[in-house]
Each structure stands twice: as C-alpha cells, then as structure tokens.
Amino acid sequence: MTQTSPPGWHPDPGYTGFGPRQERWWDGTQWTDHLRVPPAAARSRRIRIGAGITAAVVVLAAVGGGVYLLNDDSGGSNDSASSPSASPSPGPDRQRGGPGDSGGNGGDRGDGGSSGGSESPEQNQPEIEKGYATDLASGISIPVPDGWKGESGMGAGVTTGSYACPGDTDEKCVLGGVFSAPAEALKLTTRTAKATAEKDIEANAEASYGEKIYGGITSHEELKSEAVTVAGQQGYRVRWKVVTKNGDDGYVESLAFPSPLAKDMLVVVRSGFDINAKAPALSVLDDMTKGIKAASGGGSGGGTDA
C-alpha cells in the first residue's frame, strides 16, 4: 500500500465473518467509520444474514418472530439506535494498513483498483437517525415510538415490554415487536409483495406464538389482506389474530415491499402484538408502518454521516 492510494470503498478489513461483508471507506490515509452494503450485493439479491437479525445485537426467532426473542443482550438505548450495530471495532488490520496492503486483508478487491471510484461515503452510507431503527441490508428505517427500544444493523428491530415467555420462562417475549429483513434471508423466493406477505404470515405466526413459547396456535382470523404503500413502494400486508393454548393471544402481521436499495429485492417486516391491557394498540402498528421510510443516505440518494 502506498500513501497515494486514492479514497474509496473497499472490503472492510475488520470483517468478522457474520452476515454479508460490508465495505469501509478509505479516505486516502486511514480507514474511517463509514460502512455500507455493497450495491452489487443488493442488486443481485445475494444478501445473507443467516438466522439472526443483526450482528450481536438482538437475535430473533426466524428473523423477527413477532414477540419471541432468543436473547437480548445488547444493552442498547430505550428509544433509538444511535450507531451501526454491525460495525466491527477497529482491529489490527485497520490500524496498520489500507487497501492493497500486503500486511492486511483489505486488498482482496479483485478489481485492481478502488471499489468506490470517486463517490464519497456521504453518497451511499445509510444514516442511522435518532428515533429510528435502520435496516442496513434492506435500506429502510423503522420509527421507534416513545418508550420502545430500537436496534439497527443488518436487519432492524423495535420492541417494547419484555417478559418471561409463558411456555419457556428462560426465554424472553415482548408485548410488541416489529422486525425487518430481506425476504431472501427468510428463504422466501416469491417474487411479488403480495405473494411474499401471504407466504410469510403462517411462519411469522408460528415463530411469534408457536408451540415452544405459547403452546401453539389453536385458530386464527384474517383481519387484513391488502395493498399498502410503504417507504414510497407498493407493498402488501396480511394481518392475523391468533388464539394460543397458553398465555395471551396476539396479532401478527407480515408486510412485504420492494427495497428502496434495489427494486428486485423484497423486504419483509414482521410484527407481533400481544392482546392484553398492557400491550400496545394496533393503531401503534399502523402508525409505525406509515412511518417506515427509505434510510437516509442509502441507495442512489444522498445523505449525511451517521
């Protein structure tokens, strides 16, 4: 590596092996804290985030089962996520060299030059805004209501009211939760928003109120199956009311729409709300859906530092 290496986007030398490899901005002298999902990865719909929603932040059953959290050890803010949770801490490779340095692992671009060209991090870096949980993989931001907890990363989660699950008190459930991920991460291969939402709702219901945590679902009633505009995209949502064997009944919703990052990539937003006096009203879910927006700074639009 020479000191004249131009600024640009390069594979993150601090990559930990979890989720899709991001790119980090090299400013010509050092690695910065700017991260992005490579545009090519979004366009080709090859984003893989495994069974979890975000790196070491909040791991959810089936990437966002409405109310069932496998664990929640993030210790994050109660109102919003303020920094990219998927960002690795600076490691030896980031400290000692830049792209092309034989001493690090940041030079495996395979293109012989800067992967970012002349674009700056401000042009493509998704911004994680106060009051929102940002899904960096899908390019969306979900509003975090007052008193709720938001987590950002390669997927996003917004929850409220943690308690011991009725079927397994060693696990945590929440009174309400809204989670997002690329449809492909949920192994959904349907090509339209309508087909994706209709396909996902049963899996969402099982993950949210299924056998392990609520003794299973005895019946359900479809409350909504309709087209809806989300983040400027034409999407579709399906909402069920489910009756469980143990614990409270609940509402589950699967919402699907094209990602603002790439029209050929579908985003799924899974929601689950308990039905009891302490749980949030369904109007809160409707307000959150209306408030979902394209993440600032993502895709082809401009933005500011996170």
Side-chain angles (χ1 to χ4, degrees):
M1 181 263 175
T2 67
Q3 294 301 317
T4 58
S5 294
W9 291 106
H10 304 276
D12 180 20
Y15 177 63
T16 62
F18 187 98
R21 183 164 191 170
Q22 296 173 282
E23 293 180 333
R24 189 175 292 275
W25 184 259
W26 170 258
D27 68 5
T29 59
Q30 63 182 352
W31 294 106
T32 71
D33 290 331
H34 297 294
L35 285 171
R36 73 170 185 180
V37 177
R43 286 194 299 269
S44 64
R45 302 178 71 231
R46 294 196 187 100
I47 291 178
R48 308 289 188 193
I49 61 174
I53 197 169
T54 184
V57 176
V58 67
V59 183
L60 303 154
V63 194
V67 295
Y68 172 39
L69 289 78
L70 293 177
N71 63 63
D72 182 0
D73 56 1
S74 62
S77 167
N78 288 329
D79 56 359
S80 66
S82 58
S83 61
S85 57
S87 303
S89 58
D93 292 324
R94 287 183 56 198
Q95 296 292 337
R96 68 168 172 259
D101 185 354
S102 61
N105 62 357
D108 56 351
R109 298 191 305 274
D111 59 4
S114 171
S115 61
S118 60
E119 61 185 350
S120 69
E122 285 73 18
Q123 288 176 294
N124 285 283
Q125 171 66 21
E127 177 184 358
I128 299 178
E129 303 173 62
K130 182 175 177 59
Y132 287 86
T134 297
D135 180 342
L136 298 174
S138 301
I140 64 168
S141 291
I142 303 172
V144 181
D146 290 343
W148 288 52
K149 180 178 181 180
E151 298 290 355
S152 300
M154 305 310 292
V158 184
T159 60
T160 188
S162 177
Y163 64 94
C165 295
D168 186 347
T169 55
D170 290 333
E171 304 291 355
K172 291 182 181 179
C173 289
V174 292
L175 293 172
V178 178
F179 313 100
S180 69
E184 190 176 9
L186 294 170
K187 303 186 184 302
L188 293 167
T189 58
T190 42
R191 294 184 176 273
T192 67
K194 182 176 186 291
T196 300
E198 292 175 338
K199 176 85 170 174
D200 185 66
I201 187 65
E202 184 173 356
N204 182 10
E206 178 62 28
S208 301
Y209 293 96
E211 187 74 28
K212 181 178 180 182
I213 47 176
Y214 286 86
I217 296 171
T218 60
S219 65
H220 77 270
E221 174 188 359
E222 184 174 277
L223 302 180
K224 288 183 180 291
S225 182
E226 62 184 12
V228 61
T229 300
V230 186
Q233 310 297 317
Q234 293 302 305
Y236 202 88
R237 67 178 170 188
V238 178
R239 180 181 294 175
W240 285 3
K241 177 182 178 181
V242 298
V243 177
T244 66
K245 292 180 182 178
N246 302 320
D248 293 317
D249 299 333
Y251 298 110
V252 291
E253 180 175 288
S254 290
L255 168 66
F257 55 95
S259 166
L261 286 178
K263 302 302 181 184
D264 62 347
M265 180 174 72
L266 290 172
V267 181
V268 171
V269 177
R270 286 183 170 183
S271 305
F273 280 38
D274 284 3
I275 301 176
N276 62 46
K278 295 181 179 180
L282 274 179
S283 59
V284 176
L285 174 58
D286 291 332
D287 289 342
M288 292 175 72
T289 299
K290 292 177 183 178
I292 294 173
K293 65 178 186 176
S296 300
S300 59
T304 58
D305 292 350

